[in-house]
Structure formats: C-alpha cells, structure tokens
Amino acid sequence: VEEFPPSGSNGVTLRCRSRVKSSCPIQSKDYALPNSSWSQGMMDLYSRFLEMCKDGTWKRIPSYSNSVDHIPGKAFWESLKLMSEKERKDTRLFPRNMDTEGVGFEYAMFLNPSEKRMVCLFQPGPYLEGPSGFAHGGSTATIIDSTIGSCATFVAGRVMTANLSINYRNPIPLGSVVLVDSKVDQVEGRKVFLSCHVRSIDGQTLHAEATALFIRLDSTKSLQQQMSCQ
Amino acid sequence: VEEFPPSGSNGVTLRCRSRVKSSCPIQSKDYALPNSSWSQGMMDLYSRFLEMCKDGTWKRIPSYSNSVDHIPGKAFWESLKLMSEKERKDTRLFPRNMDTEGVGFEYAMFLNPSEKRMVCLFQPGPYLEGPSGFAHGGSTATIIDSTIGSCATFVAGRVMTANLSINYRNPIPLGSVVLVDSKVDQVEGRKVFLSCHVRSIDGQTLHAEATALFIRLDSTKSLQQQMSCQ
C-alpha cells in the first residue's frame, strides 16, 4: 500500500493548479469532511470512525473533485505532466460533480489496512432519485464501485473495474445514511476479488450486497490496452 | 404495454406543476431531444433511429428530470395526489440532475416493442469521469440500469432492480458516443430477465455487457415491502 496522501497533512493533498511545472502547489478541497447538509446520523457515524482512527486502526481517506488528485505518490506528479491544464479543469470525478452540498453524493471513506477493508458513510441527496423517494440503482452502483475500487487501490495499487454484480435487497431512502462496507477477499496475480454490503446505520436493513473483480493496472500500458486483453 | 406518454403529442407529456388538483397542466421539458452539446456522431445516430420510427417499428421515448413524470397512464395522475408539490420539486432523476447541457448524461432512448428491446444513445460528459479521460464505472452502471429498467417497464410494467451484473470490457472515453442495447430475455411470474451490450457506434468496440433481474411491482404494496420479500 502506497502512502496516501503523498504530501501535506490532515488529509489535505497539495496540488498545483496554476501551472503544471510551477513550484507553488495549492490545496485541493477535501470533500470527505462534514458540511451543513450532513444529518445527525451521518455526523455521529463520522465521529465514531474518526475516534477509531486515533490508534491507527482506521485511516480517514480524503476525497477530491478530480480523479487526478487521487493518484498517490510519484505517479500523481508524473501524471500532471501528461495532462493539459485544460483537460484537468474541465472534468470532474463523477460522484463529486455537484456544486451544491447535500443534493448529490455525500460520503466519507475510512480504510482499515490490516483487514483490507474500506467503509464508506453515504448520505444520498435528492438529486440521486430513481423510484420516488429512493436512490437510483445507478447511484447505489456508483457508491459501491467507488468504495470497492478505493479498497482495491489501497490494497493492490491502481485498478480498473472488470466485473460488478449487485443484489439490490431494500431500496435506500433519499436523505438516509447507510454504511458501505467492502473488503478484499482474494488477490490472484492481477485479479483482485472484493465483496461489499450496504446496510442501514443500525445494521438492521441490508440494502444491497455486491461482489466485484478488479484488474490491477500495469503503469507502462494504456487503460485501453489493458482492459481489452483481460 | 401501456401507452406512453399518457397524453400530449410529439413525445411531450402534459403535467401540472402549479397545483396538484389544477385543471391547467403545463409541459415538462423533454431532455431526450438534441441540444448543442450533442456531437455529430450522436446527431447522426439519433436521426437514424428517428427515421426507423416512421413505420412504427421503433418509438422515441421522452425523458424528464423527475421520476414522477415517467409513470405512465392513470398511475401518473394518481401519484400526483400521493406526493406533495415540495417533494416533487426538490428531487431529480439521477441521470437528469445536471443543469448544464453536455457535462453529464446526454442520452435518448428508442423502444422496439415487438423485439422487447430498448436502445439508448449515450454521450458521457466530462463530469462523469472515473479514470482520467474515461467514464466512471458507476456512470456506465447508471445508464445500463436506466436503459434496462425502462425496457423492463415497457414490457412488464413498473419494476425494480433486483440484480445487475456488469462486465466492463473497454473503458468509455468521455465525449464519445455509445449504443446501449438491451432486451427482455425472459419473464417468469414477477421476474423479468434482461441482457445488455454497450458498443461504440461503429460496433467495433464492446465496452460493457450486462445481465439484470428486475422484479415487477405490485401497485398495492409499498416498494420496501416488495423488495424485502423477493
């Protein structure tokens, strides 16, 4: 597992926005921090996990609105040279693409490295609607893919989703808080197998369960080359 | 298959925004129509399907930003009485939640009733990013779930996703156009089995393939009741 974030403190990664080769990196906003849209249930759960971070068992994972900001260590800086400033500014990480707090995906992830486990506290906002009053199946798939993908990344390095299979058990009410709990079950060469459960805070309702296969990426090849020859 | 849309012409459904019991319904915006963000490839594909609608083989499916607007026929009007105006205004259908054209999901669906088949022309925008330059696995899952779900709805009535399994074959470049092609394979009681392929316009690249199980909803029971006793 590479150290994350690569620089900075308090979960804040330093990044250069103004010029790719500039020596004056600035801070990217970390979205995995409480805001006024978080419900009491979300805050309580967040505090509980923050408490468990104190002895180093769990680590809070920062989250940014651009995927480049999530690439750890050396690769992060190298990637800056490979991408134009325009390209970086014009794109947004899908689950962080909303300007208004609380309407879309509100979430924060915590990693337990020794258990190869990543949990995600998730509060779906009113813009994630599928059936009236409930989260869209695609938004549930998105938060599962993100959590499970982050888990695989921290355990096995850069990865790409190859298969995602989700059983939807109980619809997730908009505005509620659920815990997405994922873990790496097995690593076989470039294949990383994971499983995941989405439950209500009280643990009484199983909303969804999923299995996934991720493929570890070889940094010398392009994404397309690697995905087309699985 | 119920008639859709329930009223209006040219794919425009009439809907009452100002008062639930008002007798002056106004038009909801149909988002499945060309806008300036659509690429030439998207426009060409759209024109091709529109042409195939002329003899009735295919039907263009309108798309709105609120899920209530998609409920066909009588149930549509009835549902208005069951939901407050506030609730309806504050939520948005997940794949239609962006204010700016072109940054999120640009898509249009066409139904072939006799083949029990629904295709979706999809142009992922820059706010759907996962890996740098490519669509997030969750956004691909979302457009698949939406297409497959609409297909199941038109063939079997109101449904809910029970299982969705996706094989990701080749990442989808942001700004490209792909064809999401789904069909109902089998209906067994309340279970509706579907499959789906996501391909590049030229058909040369298979981006993803999926299978899904949907459960037909019983209108006398709540969503939660039905999903918890599958």
Side-chain angles (χ1 to χ4, degrees), chain B residues 14-189:
Chain B
L14 302 178
R15 157 179 171 202
C16 185
R17 267 195 206 285
S18 53
R19 278 164 169 252
V20 169
K21 290 175 183 173
S22 161
S23 57
C24 53
I26 62 156
Q27 295 183 345
S28 280
K29 182 179 172 183
D30 179 2
Y31 289 86
L33 292 169
N35 65 53
S36 60
S37 78
W38 285 23
S39 67
Q40 192 57 49
M42 183 80 169
M43 287 301 302
D44 291 347
L45 196 59
Y46 181 81
S47 301
R48 220 165 75 201
F49 273 95
L50 217 52
E51 191 64 33
M52 294 192 291
C53 289
K54 286 183 177 166
D55 66 0
T57 314
W58 290 85
K59 285 175 200 281
R60 197 189 72 86
I61 306 298
S63 171
Y64 311 101
S65 63
N66 199 303
S67 58
V68 216
D69 294 329
H70 292 81
I71 305 172
K74 208 177 166 192
F76 165 73
W77 296 105
E78 282 172 352
S79 72
L80 291 183
K81 296 173 201 155
L82 302 173
M83 236 180 159
S84 74
E85 182 70 11
K86 189 178 171 299
E87 280 172 330
R88 284 190 297 127
K89 270 204 303 211
D90 289 351
T91 62
R92 288 197 194 174
L93 184 71
F94 178 44
R96 294 286 184 204
N97 66 10
M98 290 275 154
D99 288 320
T100 309
E101 287 174 350
V103 299
F105 295 86
E106 288 295 338
Y107 65 98
M109 294 188 197
F110 291 87
L111 175 74
N112 185 319
S114 69
E115 293 182 356
K116 297 177 180 179
R117 185 175 162 206
M118 180 79 83
V119 301
C120 175
L121 292 43
F122 173 44
Q123 178 185 297
Y127 284 18
L128 305 188
E129 192 171 52
S132 279
F134 297 98
H136 192 285
S139 71
T140 307
T142 300
I143 203 71
I144 290 175
D145 185 42
S146 297
T147 307
I148 242 172
S150 298
C151 186
T153 301
F154 278 96
V155 172
R158 292 190 70 194
V159 293
M160 188 89 182
T161 321
N163 174 267
L164 180 61
S165 179
I166 302 172
N167 287 321
Y168 294 88
R169 297 299 185 190
N170 280 286
I172 303 174
L174 296 175
S176 71
V177 180
V178 296
L179 192 71
V180 185
D181 193 345
S182 72
K183 68 178 197 328
V184 171
D185 292 321
Q186 210 171 336
V187 180
E188 288 175 11

Side-chain angles (χ1 to χ4, degrees), chain A residues 66-67 83 90-95 97-98 105 126-132 134 136-139 141-142 145-146 160-171 223-224 227-228 230, chain B residues 66-67 83 90-95 97-98 105 126-132 134 136-139 141-142 145-146 160-171 223-224 227-228 230:
Chain A
N66 199 302
S67 58
M83 234 181 162
D90 288 350
T91 62
R92 287 197 195 175
L93 184 72
F94 178 44
N97 66 10
M98 289 273 152
F105 294 88
Y127 283 19
L128 306 189
E129 194 170 52
S132 280
F134 296 98
H136 192 286
S139 71
T142 300
D145 185 43
S146 296
M160 190 88 182
T161 320
N163 174 267
L164 180 61
S165 178
I166 302 173
N167 287 319
Y168 293 87
R169 298 297 184 190
N170 280 285
L223 275 190
Q224 276 146 316
M227 292 305 291
S228 56
Q230 280 166 34
Chain B
N66 199 303
S67 58
M83 236 180 159
D90 289 351
T91 62
R92 288 197 194 174
L93 184 71
F94 178 44
N97 66 10
M98 290 275 154
F105 295 86
Y127 284 18
L128 305 188
E129 192 171 52
S132 279
F134 297 98
H136 192 285
S139 71
T142 300
D145 185 42
S146 297
M160 188 89 182
T161 321
N163 174 267
L164 180 61
S165 179
I166 302 172
N167 287 321
Y168 294 88
R169 297 299 185 190
N170 280 286
L223 275 188
Q224 277 147 316
M227 293 305 290
S228 56
Q230 281 166 33

